[in-house]
Amino acid sequence: MILTEDQLRDLLDKSLAELPGTDRFAVVLEGSVAEGFGNPSSDIDFLLVGRGGEDLPTMPSLLFVDGRRVEVRTRSAGQLADQFARLEDRARRPGTLDEDLLNRCQRFLHSHPLRDRALADEVKALMPAERFRRIAADWWAHRARQSLRHAEALLCLGADEEAVDWSRAALVQTVKAWAAGLGETYLEPKWLSLQLDRIGRADVRDRYWELQSAHPAPGDLDAARDHLSDCVGFATGLGLTGVRGGPGRITVRRAPGVTTWQTGGTTHVVRRRREVFALGDRSGAVWRSLVPGRSLPRAIAVAEDPGAPAPGPLLAAFWRYGLIRLAWKGGGTISASLPLAAPPGPVTPPPSRARPLLSIHGAAVGGPDAVELVPLPAERFAAAAMNLVWSNVVVENAIEDLTGALARGQWRVAELTARRAVHAALRGLFSAYGVHPLPADCDLVHRMDLLPRATGPIRTRARQLLRRTAGSAARGESLHADLRAFVALVRDATGSAGFPSCFDSADAWRATLELGYDWLRIGTHLDVELPIDEARDLLAGRGAQPYDGGARPYDGRPQPYDTAAQPPGDSQPHGATQPHHGG
């Protein structure tokens, strides 16, 4: 590890001195440092494990000790046992297994004990290492399989650039599945280069980087096809099954909850009784040509109209929006997005392209006297706003990680971290325009056509940054500077220019909490899925740090808008949001 045992114990002692009532807990070190990775910017992640089965809070206490950011989480032995039981249950269907659950189990199983090793080992024994390797490998393999099938479908639809990006996503997932089977189960992909070095298979490592670095020319379908074929060959060589057969194995299927209404000359497609899509003349003709059960190549051939553009992009849009399904013969539905990169479900295009619909401070309006209806359902408005705030937090975290990687000369880590920052910034941009659920990360730059033309410069710079390398100190510093300029450009476009540098200090983190607290409460009141589980405990403690372990964890029920529910610093109720008591 990059820190000695004495250094870790010194940080632990100083951290626990700020948190009362921690003497009875076992303590382990989790995360990248415990795995043997890490750099000067890496968090120090301590997990306090209590005996018994009490419900301890998920939200960590965030401290700044000796220039390092320290996170202290608490879990009981009963909670950890429940996590392992849920993991075993969901592992039977890898497509339903939650990434957060898998990650929490992995971090504990690979943790380094610092106090009461006997208790830590006792809980770890509930999930044998070999069994967890298989679960993690199957989880990654499912995503790799779906990504390669997705790439196959996109290539058939003529979307070669998107197909190449999904092929690259599959490469990461394939190698992570193979590595997990060998014991390298740490989930975060940014350390993949170090994991491959540690495994010691130069042939696999070199072929992986060769395929990841390939850039078929845009519009060259043959080159994209060759690249996909090479990726499939590489994946099957590492043991991945269910990806051979080509586009002939893909069929068009009905999507649940989708109905069609023809009114005059316009085709309307109603999705889940909540959203209506109106189709133009040509897209309506393509829609009416579809017959469930046909192969995708046959569906394209039937829909073709001499002299008209190819129907592939329209079919891709129908699929992306969840109006049709694509299935792999013998392999079930091809996911249009993957939980690893985005929430599951179809993409929803923004209802308006006039301007960003919201900022981190609230809905956009036309003037000081405006009283305007936000063109979004309430739950989507709240979800998009929370994702906008959270994307900015992820950007700050990624920039911090990038700084640390550059300081240690970890060029591959720096490249992956910079891409993470670009994707997070783009997620914020899409959220500002009301797009929810979001496209998958590798699809974001291709879905910029959902946004106004004014966002074109952002798309151009995003494409450039996603292909940048950091093979030297000079290139790394240039990447760092250009990334910061890109983030500033996106934040100017989304009303996020004043977002705090939340990983720099306790004060900045507190400012971030104050900014996000009201959005979290509104989202919970509307029963919107929160970005991460810790947000529930954030609500229970109203943003107080360090987290008061004695507070009742948030139970997921809507909270009343009363004075007691106000965030720290509010002395008065929120006016019209309060119940009227008539007195």
Side-chain angles (χ1 to χ4, degrees):
M1 291 186 287
I2 63 173
L3 297 176
T4 66
E5 193 84 9
D6 289 341
Q7 288 173 316
L8 289 171
R9 293 188 180 278
D10 182 58
L11 284 169
L12 176 63
D13 291 341
K14 291 176 178 177
S15 299
L16 297 187
E18 299 189 35
L19 302 172
T22 57
D23 294 342
R24 60 190 175 91
F25 290 92
V27 182
V28 297
L29 173 74
E30 294 186 322
S32 59
V33 176
E35 295 278 348
F37 307 135
N39 55 52
S41 292
S42 296
D43 293 346
I44 305 300
D45 300 308
F46 294 126
L47 178 68
L48 277 57
V49 181
R51 291 188 178 274
E54 65 268 37
D55 189 12
L56 297 176
T58 303
M59 182 68 187
S61 289
L62 305 180
L63 309 171
F64 292 84
V65 181
D66 292 346
R68 283 189 173 273
R69 185 171 178 272
V70 178
E71 294 192 6
V72 182
R73 287 179 168 83
T74 55
R75 303 297 276 171
S76 69
Q79 285 176 304
L80 291 169
D82 178 64
Q83 284 182 183
F84 289 143
R86 285 188 288 126
L87 178 69
E88 189 67 69
D89 177 63
R90 297 183 188 180
R92 301 186 187 99
R93 303 174 303 281
T96 67
L97 178 54
D98 178 65
E99 178 186 358
D100 184 60
L101 174 62
L102 185 67
N103 185 49
R104 289 182 187 281
C105 292
Q106 193 281 333
R107 288 168 66 89
F108 177 69
L109 288 171
H110 278 227
S111 64
H112 175 70
L114 293 171
R115 182 200 289 175
D116 194 352
R117 183 185 190 117
L119 175 58
D121 288 346
E122 178 184 332
V123 181
K124 287 182 180 182
L126 297 174
M127 174 60 68
E130 186 55 42
R131 175 57 182 152
F132 183 82
R133 291 182 184 183
R134 186 72 267 142
I135 291 173
D138 288 347
W139 185 83
W140 281 111
H142 171 78
R143 276 145 186 79
R145 193 174 293 115
Q146 289 284 0
S147 292
L148 285 172
R149 292 173 179 176
H150 201 125
E152 191 76 66
L154 287 168
L155 199 56
C156 184
L157 293 167
D160 59 292
E161 289 188 77
E162 297 171 56
V164 169
D165 281 347
W166 279 94
S167 297
R168 288 201 183 96
L171 285 171
V172 174
Q173 295 154 354
T174 297
V175 173
K176 292 289 283 186
W178 172 76
L182 298 175
E184 288 286 353
T185 56
Y186 194 62
L187 259 66
E188 174 55 60
K190 72 181 178 183
W191 301 109
L192 178 57
S193 59
L194 302 187
Q195 289 180 300
L196 291 177
D197 289 343
R198 194 153 64 183
I199 290 173
R201 282 285 302 274
D203 56 332
V204 174
R205 179 198 63 199
D206 294 346
R207 182 56 173 161
Y208 166 76
W209 289 117
E210 179 185 358
L211 291 172
Q212 273 287 2
S213 302
H215 292 290
D220 190 338
L221 287 172
D222 289 338
R225 166 61 62 188
D226 290 343
H227 181 259
L228 176 57
S229 178
D230 289 341
C231 292
V232 169
F234 176 71
T236 55
L238 293 183
L240 188 69
T241 60
V243 292
R244 290 194 179 276
R249 296 202 63 146
I250 303 172
T251 58
V252 178
R253 302 286 180 87
R254 294 184 186 277
V258 173
T259 56
T260 304
W261 293 87
Q262 189 78 23
T263 305
T266 302
T267 301
H268 299 89
V269 182
V270 183
R271 187 177 74 175
R272 296 177 182 174
R273 303 179 68 177
R274 297 177 63 186
E275 296 133 331
V276 178
F277 292 79
L279 307 185
D281 291 343
R282 197 174 79 84
S283 56
V286 172
W287 176 263
R288 291 189 296 272
S289 74
L290 295 176
V291 175
R294 274 181 178 163
S295 71
L296 182 58
R298 177 61 179 160
I300 293 172
V302 170
E304 286 179 340
D305 184 6
L314 287 173
L315 289 170
F318 296 158
W319 179 35
R320 191 176 301 121
Y321 297 156
L323 306 181
I324 60 173
R325 289 187 301 135
L326 296 183
W328 188 271
K329 289 181 180 178
T333 299
I334 302 175
S335 298
S337 63
L338 298 175
L340 179 66
V347 174
T348 299
S352 173
R353 299 189 179 204
R355 60 176 184 269
L357 299 174
L358 54 94
S359 73
I360 57 175
H361 302 294
V365 295
D369 297 330
V371 181
E372 298 178 350
L373 177 67
V374 178
L376 285 173
E379 67 272 18
R380 189 180 300 162
F381 170 70
M386 287 195 298
N387 280 328
L388 174 58
V389 172
W390 185 245
S391 70
N392 278 282
V393 174
V394 175
V395 166
E396 289 296 321
N397 178 249
I399 289 177
E400 181 193 47
D401 286 346
L402 174 61
T403 302
L406 293 176
R408 207 167 180 86
Q410 296 167 338
W411 311 128
R412 296 289 192 185
V413 176
E415 291 166 10
L416 290 172
T417 303
R419 290 173 201 161
R420 178 173 173 243
V422 172
H423 286 143
L426 289 179
R427 288 199 297 272
L429 180 68
F430 276 78
S431 296
Y433 281 91
V435 179
H436 181 82
L438 292 162
D441 278 3
C442 65
D443 214 19
L444 286 166
V445 74
H446 302 293
R447 297 282 67 75
M448 292 285 286
D449 57 351
L450 297 175
L451 307 181
R453 290 185 179 180
T455 62
I458 293 177
R459 177 180 186 176
T460 299
R461 294 175 74 167
R463 283 180 175 274
Q464 294 168 348
L465 283 168
L466 289 171
R467 296 184 178 184
R468 290 279 292 276
T469 59
S472 66
R475 290 212 302 269
E477 288 304 317
S478 175
L479 174 60
H480 188 274
D482 290 347
L483 178 62
R484 283 193 173 277
F486 172 78
V487 169
L489 180 65
V490 174
R491 285 181 170 169
D492 284 339
T494 59
S496 306
F499 199 85
S501 298
C502 48
F503 293 93
D504 286 350
S505 68
D507 288 341
W509 178 248
R510 205 157 26 244
T512 304
L513 292 178
E514 292 170 359
L515 178 65
Y517 179 75
D518 277 342
W519 285 120
L520 286 169
R521 189 174 62 177
I522 293 171
T524 306
H525 183 69
L526 294 169
D527 201 26
V528 173
E529 185 177 357
L530 304 180
I532 54 171
D533 282 347
E534 278 96 320
R536 299 183 184 277
D537 293 329
L538 180 63
L539 286 169
R542 297 200 300 276
Q545 293 292 321
Y547 187 89
D548 179 8
R552 176 180 62 83
Y554 181 65
D555 61 9
R557 293 193 296 268
Q559 299 296 294
Y561 282 85
D562 57 20
T563 305
Q566 301 307 311
D570 282 8
S571 59
Q572 299 294 328
H574 284 312
T577 64
Q578 300 300 309
H580 182 67
H581 298 293

